[in-house]
Amino acid sequence: MFKLFKKSSKEKEQIIEEKVNQWNAPLEEKQVCASLDDNISISHQLFSGMDIIQYRQVESGGKTPLRCFLVFCEGSVDAEIINSNIIRPLMCHVPDDIRVSPETLLQRVIQVGETKTAGCYKDVVEGVMCGNTVLFAEGCDQAFVLNTKHFVVRAISEPDNEKVLVGPREGFTECLIQNISQIIRRLHTNDLKTKRLVLGKRTKTSVYVCYFDSLADKGIVQNILQMLDNIDIDGVLDSNYITELIRDKRWSAFRTTGYTERPDTVVGKLLEGRIAIFVDGSPMVLTIPYLFIENFQSSEDYYLSYYYTSFARILRFCAFLLTITIPSFYIAIVAFHQEMMPLELLIRIALERQKVPLPAALEAVVMLLVFDILRETGIRMPSNIGQALSIVGALVIGQAAVEASLVAAPMIIIVAATGITGLLVPKLNAPILLWRFFFLFLTSLFGFFGFTIAFSVIIIHITNLTSFGVEQVTIEGGFHFQHVKDIFIRAPWPFMIERPREITKNRTRQSRGDGNG
């Protein structure tokens, strides 16, 4: 059966053992056979119960015809490529004067741009499920994976969550290659590096790590690649899976990785020395490292006048402070420190609260929860009725609660101001919810003393945030304009000559051109 007569007894035993192990191995780990009939049989076993898998046997033309077998997944391939560039050339375009071999098929017959070989059936399965067409040839112990991918994807449009008045209108889609191409189109340089990884034991999700080789910190790049390589999970369906698995502060409500759906924003981050992570199937692109100031920045800040955008950014800072402190500050004054209010205001608030049965702190908690319920309802409902439902619900419930003396009118004003200011900083929605109730809890117990404790805790927490070893907030003595040029205000472009010092602290001064903050 085997040609063992020229081998030693030890070599014979090794060869027999290898053959036995191959026979007993799981089907997906077996090597591709030289016999086409065996490959056909095994392929049917591998994809049994999957009616979407299509099979096609073809015999090449030429003087010495060659039997071939195609396997592909219907709906994931381009039928025109299979028919015109694979099947038709195989059957009709093989000259009679050449000896047909698998190598000849790839070099002179098949008209597909990207091809690779697969030595085991595990690679065959992955190739078919990725939208490729796998070609088996008689007498060849390797399969050929031909790129025939064609997935229906969403058209490029402006992201709903990051609309701007002025600036590019393009957004990322769920197609990974399309997203990468939008970055390449804006960056005509080979300094941009792209590293591909595959995450998820079952989904085999493609992930690309992009960065500028001359700008990104090599230590951070290697750290990210190692952390991604160590991820052990069945599937990665969205970029947030990666966010939670690689973040620095696991239990912090504040983000340690940025996210965006805008190509222009990603390019701006790359030009600052950051690293971008693209995930197949997700329009959200992660940017690392992430600075706390990015919660208050917008891509629109760099497309409008620096006077307007500086004022808008200061408003966002104030809105964040107000949305987490207004309810607790009101409770501290009304319940503990009435002497701090003017007499007329104190009398008016006291008259309003006379008929209200609930304590001020409980009243605030209930109204904030009602507001969050209405906000979530408006988001989850269909867009044509969600906005109207949330507005009408807030007006009706607020008016009815005041008329029924269940809630004081000043509390309605406080909750409305809290909700409106929270909408100015959408990137901080999750931290705002947590810290708002944390302030309210301590203030309800200890008044202004609890308010001061809560404020101290959040300041300490924010100053200790890191993103892959980079401090999100850096406090140093002295004033350097280049260090604050893009923090509280957005300086004019002629003054934007240094990249963020938190990211480039171990590097010398970089060339001009910051990109999008």
Side-chain angles (χ1 to χ4, degrees):
M1 183 176 181
F2 306 115
K3 295 182 179 180
L4 302 178
F5 51 87
K6 293 184 179 180
K7 306 288 185 181
S8 65
S9 58
K10 187 174 182 180
E11 291 175 335
K12 294 178 183 178
E13 292 177 359
Q14 290 178 350
I15 294 176
I16 294 174
E17 184 178 356
E18 291 176 0
K19 292 293 182 180
V20 171
N21 290 337
Q22 183 176 350
W23 291 333
N24 296 331
L27 200 58
E28 292 188 6
E29 297 181 8
K30 286 187 176 182
Q31 300 296 312
V32 175
C33 309
S35 170
L36 184 63
D37 293 330
D38 290 345
N39 290 328
I40 294 174
S41 176
I42 294 176
S43 296
H44 280 87
Q45 294 180 51
L46 283 172
F47 299 107
S48 63
M50 298 181 65
D51 295 338
I52 198 171
I53 302 298
Q54 301 295 320
Y55 310 95
R56 176 67 187 274
Q57 294 190 48
V58 180
E59 186 172 298
S60 70
K63 200 171 188 179
T64 55
L66 183 68
R67 293 175 59 214
C68 300
F69 180 64
L70 299 176
V71 185
F72 56 90
C73 182
E74 185 180 7
S76 301
V77 297
D78 190 329
E80 182 64 26
I81 293 179
I82 295 177
N83 294 331
S84 302
N85 296 21
I86 300 176
I87 296 179
R88 185 177 298 167
L90 276 174
M91 300 175 66
C92 306
H93 297 166
V94 180
D96 291 334
D97 59 345
I98 66 171
R99 181 180 180 276
V100 180
S101 65
E103 292 74 17
T104 304
L105 294 181
L106 292 182
Q107 295 174 7
R108 303 185 59 178
V109 179
I110 293 176
Q111 303 169 10
V112 176
E114 181 184 345
T115 63
K116 61 181 180 180
T117 59
C120 66
Y121 284 101
K122 183 178 181 181
D123 297 332
V124 170
V125 172
E126 184 176 345
V128 172
M129 300 311 294
C130 286
N132 297 313
T133 297
V134 175
L135 170 67
F136 297 96
E138 181 68 57
C140 183
D141 60 356
Q142 285 189 325
F144 302 101
V145 182
L146 313 176
N147 185 3
T148 57
K149 296 176 184 176
H150 179 71
F151 296 100
V152 178
V153 296
R154 179 169 57 93
I156 295 176
S157 60
E158 184 178 6
D160 291 333
N161 296 327
E162 297 181 72
K163 290 184 179 295
V164 295
L165 298 176
V166 178
R169 303 293 181 179
E170 293 177 323
F172 290 123
T173 66
E174 289 73 20
C175 180
L176 177 61
I177 300 302
Q178 194 175 75
N179 294 341
I180 297 292
S181 67
Q182 292 191 65
I183 301 299
I184 299 295
R185 184 166 60 85
R186 291 170 167 83
L187 299 171
H188 304 159
T189 172
N190 63 343
D191 192 33
L192 179 68
K193 306 302 178 184
T194 57
K195 304 289 186 182
R196 181 178 179 270
L197 298 91
V198 178
L199 302 184
K201 292 182 292 186
R202 297 186 182 276
T203 59
K204 305 293 184 183
T205 305
S206 295
V207 174
Y208 273 89
V209 179
C210 301
Y211 60 93
F212 275 109
D213 192 48
S214 61
L215 301 180
D217 190 308
K218 300 298 188 299
I220 298 178
V221 172
Q222 293 301 321
N223 186 23
I224 292 173
L225 293 174
Q226 183 177 0
M227 294 180 73
L228 291 175
D229 192 54
N230 292 336
I231 290 178
D232 184 17
I233 191 172
D234 275 351
V236 175
L237 305 180
D238 186 72
S239 56
N240 191 62
Y241 284 58
I242 296 177
T243 299
E244 295 190 16
L245 291 170
I246 67 174
R247 63 179 302 163
D248 287 29
K249 305 292 184 180
R250 191 172 299 275
W251 304 111
S252 174
F254 292 102
R255 296 184 66 93
T256 58
T257 56
Y259 66 97
T260 181
E261 290 185 66
R262 299 182 60 88
D264 56 315
T265 301
V266 172
V267 171
K269 303 300 182 186
L270 292 173
L271 291 173
E272 290 183 341
R274 290 181 171 86
I275 299 99
I277 301 178
F278 295 77
V279 179
D280 192 17
S282 174
M284 287 292 181
V285 175
L286 306 180
T287 56
I288 297 169
Y290 186 69
L291 305 181
F292 187 74
I293 183 60
E294 294 181 59
N295 293 310
F296 307 96
Q297 293 175 336
S298 169
S299 59
E300 194 177 39
D301 291 352
Y302 306 91
Y303 306 140
L304 297 173
S305 167
Y306 58 89
Y307 289 113
Y308 173 78
T309 56
S310 298
F311 176 72
R313 189 173 296 179
I314 293 173
L315 282 182
R316 295 178 203 132
F317 275 105
C318 296
F320 171 67
L321 294 176
L322 290 174
T323 193
I324 63 175
T325 59
I326 287 178
S328 55
F329 189 84
Y330 173 78
I331 296 303
I333 291 180
V334 170
F336 293 89
H337 307 281
Q338 296 90 345
E339 67 278 3
M340 295 183 64
M341 289 187 293
L343 182 59
E344 291 185 3
L345 180 60
L346 175 62
I347 292 173
R348 288 182 179 275
I349 292 178
L351 290 175
E352 287 290 335
R353 291 198 48 78
Q354 265 188 338
K355 299 179 182 179
V356 176
L358 299 176
L362 182 58
E363 182 184 6
V365 171
V366 171
M367 290 307 299
L368 287 173
L369 290 176
V370 170
F371 179 85
D372 288 330
I373 291 173
L374 290 173
R375 180 176 58 83
E376 283 294 315
T377 302
I379 294 174
R380 307 303 171 195
M381 291 293 291
S383 57
N384 56 342
I385 62 173
Q387 185 177 4
L389 178 65
S390 59
I391 294 174
V392 173
L395 292 174
V396 171
I397 292 177
Q399 183 66 26
V402 172
E403 291 181 355
S405 298
L406 296 177
V407 179
M411 181 59 69
I412 299 294
I413 298 174
I414 294 298
V415 172
T418 302
I420 292 172
T421 50
L423 297 177
L424 281 177
V425 279
K427 293 182 180 179
L428 291 171
N429 280 339
I432 283 173
L433 288 175
L434 173 66
W435 288 100
R436 183 187 292 159
F437 284 103
F438 179 72
F439 270 81
L440 193 57
F441 174 74
L442 288 184
T443 304
S444 302
L445 294 179
F446 307 111
F448 264 121
F449 180 65
F451 182 89
T452 305
I453 294 175
F455 201 83
S456 301
V457 170
I458 191 174
I459 293 297
I460 294 172
H461 180 69
I462 290 174
T463 54
N464 281 279
L465 289 175
T466 60
S467 177
F468 294 86
V470 176
E471 296 178 353
Q472 290 199 32
V473 177
T474 302
I475 301 177
E476 294 180 359
F479 176 81
H480 301 280
F481 177 74
Q482 287 300 320
H483 295 172
V484 297
K485 67 184 182 308
D486 198 24
I487 297 181
F488 300 104
I489 62 170
R490 200 275 282 178
W493 277 113
F495 297 96
M496 305 274 276
I497 59 177
E498 290 186 7
R499 294 181 173 83
R501 61 192 174 109
E502 293 87 353
I503 299 176
T504 60
K505 61 182 178 180
N506 296 325
R507 291 178 172 270
T508 58
R509 179 173 172 168
Q510 305 290 338
S511 59
R512 292 173 66 93
D514 279 18
N516 293 15

